[in-house]
Structure formats: C-alpha cells, structure tokens
Amino acid sequence: MGDIAVVREGSGPEVLLVHGGAGPRTTWGVLAPLAERWTLARVHRRGYSPSPPPRVRQDFDEDARDLAPLLVGRPHVVAHSYGALGTLIAAAAVPGGARSLTLIEPPLHYLVPDDPEVARLERIGDAALTHGMDADPAELRAFLRLVGASVGDGPLSEGVVASVRRAHGNRPPSQARPRLDAIRAAGVPVLVASGGHAAAFERICDALAAALGGERGVYPGAGHFVAAAPGFTERLDAFWSRNPS
C-alpha cells in the first residue's frame, strides 16, 4: 500500500503534526509562522491525498504502525482528535521516540467513566462513524458541531457530507486503549490542550493530563480546532523550547 506522505517545511528541530478527521491544511495551516524556527512535518493519514487509502478503513492501530517509524528522529509530536489515538499507541510502542507530545481533544472516552456528557459524546460519535449520513439527523448535527464542522440549520454542505462519508465505517475511538502508563514511565513531556467549548472534551483532557503527568491548557476561541485559538501558537513554541532534548 506504500508509505504515508509527510510534507515538511521550515528549518530547525522537527515537529510531527498528526491531523484527525479534518485534513492537514485545515488543522495546521495556522501554525505556518512556526516554520521560521521549526521544521513542520505534516503527516497525511491514510485516505488523505497524497497518502494511499487505508487497507480496510480508518483505524488508529494502522495509524500507529505508520507513525512509529517517524519517531526514530525523536521529533516533537502534536496530534489532534482521532489522530491522537494512533499517536499515543505509537508513542507507547517506541518509548522515548517522541521528544514531547501535545494532544488536542482526543476522544478517549473511557478515561471518564459514568459521566453523562462524555457518554453522550461517545454515543453520537460512534453513531456518526457507524451509520454515516443514516445516523439520527439531530445527533449527527450535534456531533458535527462538537468537532468543528460548519453546520447551520439548513442542509449540510457538500464538504461536510463528503467528510461524513469519508469517516463512515471508521474504527470507533471507543475501542482505543493506548498504554498511557508506558508513555508516563518514559518521562515524555506532555501538553494536553482543549478549546473550552464542550464539557466532555474538557473532562477527557483533564483526565488524560492527570494520567500522563502532563501540563494542561485551555485555549478558547476556535472550538475543536484548538490550534487556531489565540495564544496557542505561542504556547507550543514555548513548550517545545523548554523541552529541547
């Protein structure tokens, strides 16, 4: 099936950028100014051109197999949403492979059991992946809004429909169980970031930061696409600079 594509720009220490359901440009375009001091390596997960399609479906274990070889050079790693699942699995499989980890609103629902907001996020997210455009319309719209899609009261746009169809059949994140203990034992510096727009993501990120012994940051203003929030670029730059080796 071939290797996944990684597009690099800039100079300086490498930062591996792993997108989620949205593509690399949408997720990471706002970080372009950081290329003055860092080499930004934008991963294109399988199914996102120019990378090859997934073997069967989008799957965080397949993502992890693709990402693990990219950790050989000990890059800083920033991962968003679904992309954080494979990133965490790869980081646990290659102890010390990541110079640092920045994790943005990953759907690790199991970290917050018996929480109604988290349980709802898990339910509507799994339904969107399992049923696609045949999911309950109200719940599908609610999920799309939570993950940053531009959704109004009228018909869904062609772009949003295409995204739903691309995600249809993907492996549900509720099945992911990354070895967080291995990452913490390796002493990897961690920053867990959220956008302050949804209680479920805030609680998941709180629990993840506690499990990894990591730093925690909330950056409102851009919803699920936290990278575009005011102050986030500066926080990344400072975080990487404080963890040079």
Side-chain angles (χ1 to χ4, degrees):
M1 296 293 291
D3 295 332
I4 58 170
V6 181
V7 178
R8 291 174 171 84
E9 65 175 332
S11 59
E14 182 161 290
V15 179
L16 199 65
L17 302 174
V18 186
H19 66 91
R25 185 177 299 277
T26 299
T27 308
W28 308 122
V30 294
L31 301 185
L34 291 172
E36 295 180 3
R37 298 185 57 217
W38 308 90
T39 298
L40 303 181
R42 295 191 303 274
V43 170
H44 293 247
R45 293 171 52 236
R46 291 184 184 272
Y48 294 80
S49 181
S51 286
R55 289 173 174 82
V56 178
R57 58 178 179 170
Q58 294 285 340
D59 185 324
F60 42 80
D61 279 330
E62 186 170 27
D63 285 342
R65 289 190 290 271
D66 287 330
L67 293 169
L70 301 176
L71 300 181
V72 172
R74 295 199 69 240
H76 296 283
V77 184
V78 185
H80 180 247
S81 196
Y82 194 97
L85 304 179
T87 297
L88 284 165
I89 295 168
V94 187
R99 195 175 301 267
S100 73
L101 281 173
T102 300
L103 306 163
I104 304 172
E105 296 199 349
L108 289 168
H109 316 102
Y110 78 97
L111 293 176
V112 192
D114 304 320
D115 182 283
E117 293 289 338
V118 175
R120 176 175 179 267
L121 174 62
E122 179 178 20
R123 186 184 74 252
I124 64 178
D126 281 6
L129 295 186
T130 302
H131 302 296
M133 292 301 297
D134 292 327
D136 176 87
E139 292 200 336
L140 177 60
R141 284 176 179 270
F143 174 70
L144 291 171
R145 290 189 177 105
L146 280 172
V147 296
S150 180
V151 176
D153 295 327
L156 298 178
S157 70
E158 290 183 7
V160 170
V161 170
S163 295
V164 173
R165 287 177 174 158
R166 178 168 55 191
H168 187 188
N170 291 356
R171 188 174 180 186
S174 57
Q175 297 179 10
R177 293 294 186 275
R179 288 200 54 211
L180 303 181
D181 57 333
I183 296 172
R184 182 163 186 164
V188 181
V190 173
L191 169 63
V192 181
S194 60
H197 65 102
F201 280 125
E202 296 305 309
R203 292 165 190 166
I204 290 170
C205 288
D206 287 345
L208 180 59
L212 293 175
E215 300 178 26
R216 180 74 173 89
V218 181
Y219 304 90
H224 188 51
F225 289 96
V226 179
F232 186 69
T233 299
E234 293 78 7
R235 178 66 184 274
L236 276 183
D237 188 40
F239 179 61
W240 299 334
S241 297
R242 283 191 285 108
N243 295 287
S245 61

